[in-house]
Amino acid sequence: MSQKADEITLVWWIPEEYWQVSFARDPNMTVAQAEAFIKVLRPYTVIVVVDGKIGAFGGITYKSEATIRAGIELKDSKGTRYRPLSEDKIDANTKNFLSMMRPVFANILGPMGQNMHFFLFPSKNKEGQKIADAKKEGTFSVKVGEREFRWRLPLGSLLPPKICPICRERLSGAYKFCPWDGTKLPEAKK
């Protein structure tokens, strides 16, 4: 999220694991149905962006999808840059899924949700490796205009917590050292 007082910019990476957790919580969705939805999104790195300027009296003027698309790119840990995929490079089922999600965000978040735009990038680089893997070490960033938003991976929320052997503090599974006493933490069990 942007930290400037006169703007509201949110760049949200939605990894596959997010959908797995969301669908698992829905009692009306079977495992097969959830996998069918996830399979549709698996070929893509899904980024959602809302970008707007806050006026003097708190009104927000949001940027259009086309304006954001013109200035957005994803950069992997090797520095390779990717532009969002064009409509003709996106599977029809994926387009349908995203068109179903747009009104959900609009209903939940109102005008902000109405101005959340989905951008799809490839999920893998030329070598067949995931560009952004939520459970493995790495980094990637998304540039929106002149602003860059970075992710350091793995996402600690997806890993089992670690316990410091010295102070016994419960810590993020992504930590390598205890932030309280500097102790090297044991590797997570696979």
Side-chain angles (χ1 to χ4, degrees), residues 19-171:
W19 300 109
Q20 290 169 344
V21 170
S22 295
F23 294 146
R25 290 182 178 166
D26 185 345
N28 300 316
M29 183 163 292
T30 68
V31 172
Q33 289 171 325
E35 179 54 30
F37 276 107
I38 292 167
K39 184 178 177 183
V40 163
L41 295 171
R42 197 167 279 139
Y44 309 102
T45 300
V46 180
I47 303 291
V48 179
V49 177
V50 61
D51 193 11
K53 285 281 184 194
I54 301 172
F57 297 101
I60 302 172
T61 303
Y62 292 100
K63 292 182 181 174
S64 69
E65 189 271 343
T67 300
I68 297 169
R69 178 176 288 280
I72 188 172
E73 68 179 14
L74 184 146
K75 183 170 72 172
D76 68 18
S77 61
K78 296 176 184 174
T80 304
R81 298 174 186 274
Y82 305 85
R83 299 280 303 137
L85 297 170
S86 59
E87 287 287 317
D88 63 322
K89 302 283 186 204
I90 300 170
D91 178 76
N93 287 320
T94 306
K95 290 180 200 175
N96 287 341
F97 175 75
L98 295 178
S99 68
M100 290 177 357
M101 294 307 300
R102 286 183 183 99
V104 172
F105 286 127
N107 287 334
I108 294 170
L109 299 170
M112 183 178 181
Q114 292 168 349
N115 288 282
M116 291 184 120
H117 304 290
F118 287 84
F119 298 95
L120 301 181
F121 297 85
S123 67
K124 295 182 179 179
N125 62 20
K126 290 180 202 169
E127 292 81 34
Q129 301 162 325
K130 286 182 94 173
I131 292 170
D133 190 330
K135 292 184 178 179
K136 291 188 178 174
E137 280 194 41
T139 61
F140 77 99
S141 64
V142 174
K143 189 173 176 187
V144 177
E146 296 303 314
R147 296 153 298 171
E148 186 174 37
F149 300 84
R150 296 179 41 85
W151 283 261
R152 182 183 301 261
L153 304 173
L155 295 178
S157 59
L158 298 175
L159 302 174
K162 292 181 180 176
I163 306 294
C164 175
I166 302 299
C167 70
R168 308 301 304 155
E169 191 73 33
R170 183 181 175 100
L171 304 166

